[in-house]
Amino acid sequence: GIQVEQSPPDLILQEGANSTLRCNFSDSVNNLQWFHQNPWGQLINLFYIPSGTKQNGRLSATTVATERYSLLYISSSQTTDSGVYFCAVGRGSTLGRLYFGRGTQLTVWP
Amino acid sequence: GAVVSQHPSRVICKSGTSVKIECRSLDFQATTMFWYRQFPKQSLMLMATSNEGSKATYEQGVEKDKFLINHASLTLSTLTVTSAHPEDSSFYICSAREGGSPGGYGYTFGSGTRLTVV
């Protein structure tokens, strides 16, 4: 399978700070997603980004597929950003599974 | 956007009983759905791939007879935990992908089911 490494494992910020989360993967992929898991367990799809750069409000993501990494940027952090951020990758046909990283636990203090 | 509905969200059952979890794609057809299991403060582990009209494909180490998967239609997959034991207590999540061709769409996840076996 594909190995997915996320860093840092834990991140503690004060409200208003910016942060960068990283995802490295071990093989070529044609699917990469960033998820936010809220305290109730729901996985919220933040970005579908197998390559390139996307922005959505205070969040943006960049994937450099040739170098096998992706970055998630969070600007002006809010307490509601707290939770676990997962990177997941996949490859092959539409029936392909997703391989998840271990996640980054983000805590934003007021 | 695509929506996946998962029920129940929380269930408590006695040891030895069976529990069924439903996963529905509400506004799209999913020939394939995926079932994951998540332990506290851990990542998601794929248990099985559910294929409409055929047998599920289980990951190594997952007991087929304990975790029964049925994908009866293009919008419904069910996971039945049979003869549940306390060690089966976990958070179970399903997912599906809209569309029949690569690219353009990611996977959408259900809201998860927290199973507690007492």
Side-chain angles (χ1 to χ4, degrees), chain A residues 31 33 37 42 95-97 101, chain B residues 32 38 43 59 101 103 107 111:
Chain A
N31 181 10
Q33 290 180 252
Q37 187 169 38
Q42 173 76 61
L95 304 182
R97 58 171 290 178
Chain B
T32 304
Q38 186 180 29
S43 187
E59 294 296 300
S101 57
Y107 291 83
S111 55

Side-chain angles (χ1 to χ4, degrees), chain A residues 83-105:
Chain A
V84 184
Y85 289 80
F86 286 105
C87 169
V89 303
R91 66 181 173 204
S93 72
T94 57
L95 304 182
R97 58 171 290 178
L98 284 180
Y99 296 84
F100 279 80
R102 297 176 66 86
T104 292
Q105 172 74 59

Side-chain angles (χ1 to χ4, degrees), chain A residues 97-98, chain B residues 34-37 44-49 59 62:
Chain A
R97 58 171 290 178
L98 284 180
Chain B
F34 301 88
W35 288 94
Y36 293 84
R37 182 174 182 176
L44 279 74
M45 291 174 27
L46 180 67
M47 298 175 64
T49 301
E59 294 296 300
V62 177

Side-chain angles (χ1 to χ4, degrees), chain B residues 1 11 15 31 46 88 96-97 103-104 106 108 113:
Chain B
V11 58
S15 268
T31 54
L46 180 67
D88 298 325
R97 183 173 185 174
T108 300
T113 298

